[in-house]
Amino acid sequence: MRGSPVPAGLCFLLSVLGAVAQQTGGPCHLSCPLNAHCINSTHCTCKRGYSPDSKKPFFNYPFEKCNDIDECKPPYSIYCGVKAKCHNTEGDFQCRCDSGYKLLSGKTEFKDASENTCQNITSQTQPTEVKKELQQIVDGLESFLTNNTLWGTGEKSEIASRATFILQDVESTALELALIAPEQKIQKIRNKTMAIETRVVSNNCSEGRRIFSLNTDANSMDIHCDDVIQGNTQGPSAVAFISYSSLGNIINASFFDEMAEKDRIYLNSHVVSAAIGPKRNISLSKSVTMSFQHLKVNPRRERTICVYWKTTKEGSHWSTDGCFLIQANESHTKCSTTHLSSFAVLVAYTNQEEDPVLTVITYVGLGLSLLCLFLAALTFLLCKAIHNTSTSLHLQLSICLFFAHLLFLTAIDRTEPKVLCAVVAGALHFLYLASFTWMLLEGLHLFLTARNLAVVNYSSTNRLIKWLMFPVGYGVPAVIVAISAASRAHLYGTPERCWLQLEQGFIWGFLGPVCAIICANLVFFLLVLWILKRKLSSLNSEVSTIQNVRMLTLKATAQLFILGCTWGLGMLQVGSAACVMAYLFTIINSLQGFFIFLVYCLLSQQVWKQYQKWFTVNIKSKSEAETHTLSSKFGPDSKPSEDN
């Protein structure tokens, strides 16, 4: 097996830490000590592989000494790759294969891990020897992984490259050693910084277990047998699962390029790596499930993100591609991934501190909307003078929004028990989708009403809407929610909110219909304005028709808020305008119930007349009741008392 190389610049970097570039500039006027040379005729500097006693790179002190640097010990610790060790020499170092191994070229020494081709000399290896060799490799990497001086030097890209080579090298070695002794079905090796478990699988998945579980340091992986053998009929296959307890400190959250606010991210699990062999396939036919134990308790306010170590030509970094969150609680997180090989999957968390002002606006706005929606629903039910198709649409929209807002205020944060949280999320999904569907019907009816101003007979279409509105208003949302629940019921409810999870595109079961309805209502709104403009420009219109048109224009403008078009502000929360858009979105949409009551009740002359009638009847009834009480008290049979 060819060992995975450490970056070519690493050895150069380590060998010159105690020296400088060799530059000469004419005859030297100084007597430089042994293992040193003159530079610029004014100073001496130690040769590569040597370090001065004074630790200064340049000196002119005649008694300075240049001592040999042991590159094989901290803080340098040259990494030669697997099955090889670093050996110090005078002013230099060499990498040599371990006992029982040799280079393919036949040479005895090499410079860095990129030249490592150490192969096993013997044809057969005992299982005990394999396990011992794997333990030696793990122990040899411990000092390298915990060398803060080494990892603290170099550019970010170089650190990522070193980590990538380690991940690939350890994976390849673990798989190779597992396949050397296939009779050893399970091997487990660990120390303070690493833990490895390998599993050898026969070439037939029809017998035995279909799912294999591997565990290292409270982290686990479940992988299907078919993905392990990969159709391999030539011999056994192997799967390796590796956990690194300290690597997360090196390739930390700063390597997560997909998140802008990196200072609010941290890794909350070990870095783990998984691989299958002898074929190093990346894509899998079935998803692999990984479970991570949190390094510290996960607060509910934090969001879980599953990521993997992605390697490209530009460099390596954490990415979410192909990684999905299944479940998360305070102590563990489950993720699924569709690829393995030289990838590491872990869990990251980002603080999502809520803006207290937005929270207050939300609760106050929704509270006011609940009151207005309740009054509006009572008006639509009791005011017989306005009973028509339009009123029925207003009533159903008010009812759906009322129960959606009420459930949001009372149960959105009740994440335990999980079954109840999933039910709440499903109910909110249905109620908000139903609300938007009724908004769509409102927009369609508004367009048809405006068009009816120019069409003499439009009653047939109006009857069609009246017949279809209930099947569409409640049927379409019910079908969408039923399909979502049947396909991915486990994605209802998140660790923080009783709502739809973002993973696997599940949230588009809500956002997709909402975006379509917003676009449709915006088109209806523009068409209504175009129709009204034509009517207002007509010189032969009757005064009553003009008044109706003006009222429709006012209502059409208000419909932007009622029809949910302002939800588009939520998609504009990016860049420098994100904060402003967040406030506008929260204020306008939390007051949607107030706008409904304002437009359809307070601005309606018929409703005002009905309010006045109710108020007059109430005052009259109260007055008659008081008169009846007085007449009963001072009637003809009553005699007021006289003062003596």
Side-chain angles (χ1 to χ4, degrees):
M1 182 203 69
R2 183 177 178 85
S4 300
V6 169
L10 174 58
C11 291
F12 173 77
L13 174 66
L14 298 177
S15 64
V16 300
L17 288 176
V20 294
Q22 297 184 19
Q23 301 178 4
T24 59
C28 188
H29 303 290
L30 295 175
S31 177
C32 294
L34 184 65
N35 299 320
H37 59 81
C38 185
I39 183 170
N40 293 335
S41 304
T42 58
H43 290 80
C44 295
T45 183
C46 292
K47 296 179 180 179
R48 288 183 181 177
Y50 295 89
S51 175
D53 286 338
S54 63
K55 306 301 181 183
K56 296 180 180 180
F58 306 101
F59 55 88
N60 50 24
Y61 181 58
F63 300 104
E64 182 70 79
K65 291 184 178 180
C66 291
N67 303 311
D68 174 54
I69 297 175
D70 191 346
E71 291 88 352
C72 301
K73 293 182 179 180
Y76 309 105
S77 298
I78 294 296
Y79 179 59
C80 295
V82 297
K83 295 168 292 189
K85 289 184 176 62
C86 175
H87 296 269
N88 185 58
T89 60
E90 183 67 23
D92 202 357
F93 70 93
Q94 295 292 340
C95 291
R96 298 172 188 169
C97 294
D98 293 340
S99 176
Y101 293 85
K102 66 177 181 179
L103 294 171
L104 290 176
S105 63
K107 296 181 180 179
T108 59
E109 298 175 340
F110 57 96
K111 270 297 187 183
D112 59 53
S114 63
E115 304 170 11
N116 186 337
T117 59
C118 296
Q119 296 291 309
N120 197 336
I121 298 175
T122 60
S123 57
Q124 295 183 348
T125 306
Q126 297 299 321
T128 54
E129 295 178 358
V130 170
K131 188 171 183 178
K132 181 179 179 181
E133 184 175 354
L134 188 59
Q135 183 69 58
Q136 290 176 348
I137 294 171
V138 171
D139 293 339
L141 279 173
E142 182 174 4
S143 61
F144 187 72
L145 290 173
T146 56
N147 191 337
N148 295 329
T149 303
L150 175 62
W151 290 104
T153 59
E155 297 293 332
K156 184 178 178 180
S157 58
E158 188 174 358
I159 294 175
S161 180
R162 296 177 194 172
T164 300
F165 286 131
I166 290 177
L167 289 170
Q168 294 174 342
D169 219 10
V170 174
E171 287 172 6
S172 299
T173 303
L175 289 173
E176 181 181 338
L177 292 178
L179 292 171
I180 286 177
E183 63 275 10
Q184 187 77 14
K185 295 292 185 181
I186 300 176
Q187 296 187 47
K188 293 188 177 183
I189 301 294
R190 73 183 310 276
N191 63 7
K192 293 180 180 180
T193 59
M194 288 178 58
I196 301 176
E197 179 177 347
T198 60
R199 180 76 61 93
V200 177
V201 183
S202 63
N203 56 12
N204 188 357
C205 284
S206 60
E207 301 177 359
R209 300 172 60 183
R210 304 286 296 180
I211 303 295
F212 293 101
S213 297
L214 290 83
N215 300 271
T216 57
D217 285 344
N219 304 305
S220 64
M221 177 184 70
D222 295 336
I223 186 170
H224 200 277
C225 177
D226 291 336
D227 283 320
V228 177
I229 65 171
Q230 309 168 70
N232 180 24
T233 58
Q234 303 300 319
S237 300
V239 54
F241 186 58
I242 307 156
S243 176
Y244 301 86
S245 60
S246 60
L247 194 56
N249 299 326
I250 299 169
I251 47 175
N252 51 36
S254 64
F255 289 85
F256 189 29
D257 296 335
E258 298 179 22
M259 188 68 69
E261 300 177 359
K262 299 183 180 64
D263 57 331
R264 300 177 62 186
I265 307 174
Y266 61 95
L267 303 184
N268 200 25
S269 77
H270 291 162
V271 175
V272 303
S273 185
I276 49 180
K279 298 179 181 179
R280 299 299 301 275
N281 281 8
I282 294 176
S283 300
L284 304 175
S285 61
K286 299 176 179 63
S287 295
V288 171
T289 302
M290 294 189 178
S291 177
F292 301 88
Q293 184 180 49
H294 299 164
L295 299 180
K296 55 183 177 180
V297 175
N298 173 33
R300 287 176 54 189
R301 68 178 182 178
E302 296 185 337
R303 183 166 63 95
T304 306
I305 307 173
C306 298
V307 297
Y308 82 102
W309 189 246
K310 184 176 183 179
T311 301
T312 63
K313 294 181 179 179
E314 292 75 22
S316 301
H317 58 89
W318 295 117
S319 173
T320 59
D321 296 342
C323 296
F324 308 100
L325 174 67
I326 299 177
Q327 185 181 12
N329 55 33
E330 293 184 351
S331 60
H332 288 81
T333 290
K334 279 189 176 181
C335 300
S336 67
T337 178
T338 56
H339 44 63
L340 287 181
S341 191
S342 58
F343 300 96
V345 184
L346 65 147
V347 184
Y349 294 89
T350 176
N351 291 323
Q352 287 192 322
E353 298 180 358
E354 296 181 353
D355 188 338
V357 178
L358 287 178
T359 302
V360 172
I361 292 174
T362 299
Y363 280 88
V364 172
L366 291 181
L368 178 59
S369 286
L370 282 175
L371 175 61
C372 292
L373 289 170
F374 178 74
L375 294 176
L378 285 180
T379 302
F380 300 143
L381 283 171
L382 301 178
C383 188
K384 296 181 180 180
I386 60 172
H387 280 184
N388 51 37
T389 303
S390 180
T391 305
S392 299
L393 293 173
H394 304 338
L395 176 61
Q396 300 307 318
L397 174 58
S398 299
I399 291 174
C400 290
L401 278 178
F402 178 84
F403 285 107
H405 290 345
L406 183 63
L407 191 60
F408 180 91
L409 287 176
T410 57
I412 189 67
D413 293 328
R414 299 183 181 274
T415 57
E416 296 294 341
K418 294 180 180 178
V419 175
L420 180 60
C421 182
V423 172
V424 170
L428 283 173
H429 189 193
F430 171 77
L431 288 172
Y432 277 118
L433 276 183
S435 299
F436 274 96
T437 306
W438 286 107
M439 292 176 200
L440 176 63
L441 293 172
E442 287 268 11
L444 177 61
H445 186 265
L446 180 68
F447 164 69
L448 295 178
T449 303
R451 186 182 176 186
N452 197 33
L453 295 171
V455 179
V456 176
N457 187 8
Y458 213 68
S459 58
S460 59
T461 305
N462 203 27
R463 286 196 301 269
L464 180 63
I465 293 178
K466 187 175 181 179
W467 183 74
L468 287 177
M469 65 180 184
F470 281 98
V472 173
Y474 291 111
V476 172
V479 170
I480 294 175
V481 173
I483 294 174
S484 300
S487 60
R488 299 170 185 173
H490 63 282
L491 295 180
Y492 276 109
T494 72
E496 303 86 16
R497 298 284 187 272
C498 295
W499 186 233
L500 282 65
Q501 296 186 20
L502 301 178
E503 282 67 29
Q504 302 181 33
F506 189 64
I507 190 63
W508 285 102
F510 173 74
L511 291 182
V514 167
C515 291
I517 290 172
I518 291 174
C519 293
N521 277 345
L522 191 57
V523 171
F524 287 144
F525 172 75
L526 295 175
L527 289 175
V528 168
L529 290 183
W530 180 69
I531 293 173
L532 295 179
K533 180 182 178 182
R534 292 183 59 188
K535 293 298 296 181
L536 287 172
S537 62
S538 176
L539 298 178
N540 298 323
S541 298
E542 298 180 358
V543 175
S544 59
T545 304
I546 293 294
Q547 290 176 347
N548 291 334
V549 169
R550 287 174 178 172
M551 178 56 67
L552 277 175
T553 304
L554 175 62
K555 288 188 175 182
T557 304
Q559 288 289 337
L560 276 175
F561 304 99
I562 297 173
L563 298 182
C565 295
T566 51
W567 278 68
L569 294 173
M571 304 176 188
L572 301 177
Q573 297 182 39
V574 294
S576 58
C579 183
V580 176
M581 291 301 174
Y583 275 89
L584 287 176
F585 174 81
T586 304
I587 294 171
I588 294 175
N589 290 289
S590 64
L591 293 174
Q592 194 172 15
F594 168 75
F595 291 128
I596 291 175
F597 183 64
L598 174 67
V599 173
Y600 296 137
C601 296
L602 298 183
L603 296 181
S604 173
Q605 292 182 356
Q606 288 180 305
V607 173
W608 263 112
K609 290 178 180 179
Q610 186 65 50
Y611 284 163
Q612 291 174 355
K613 183 178 178 181
W614 288 340
F615 183 75
T616 303
V617 171
N618 186 42
I619 295 297
K620 185 177 180 181
S621 299
K622 185 176 181 181
S623 176
E624 290 177 352
E626 291 178 353
T627 303
H628 177 72
T629 302
L630 289 174
S631 63
S632 300
K633 186 175 182 180
F634 301 106
D637 296 333
S638 302
K639 295 182 180 181
S641 59
E642 297 180 357
D643 295 333
N644 296 329

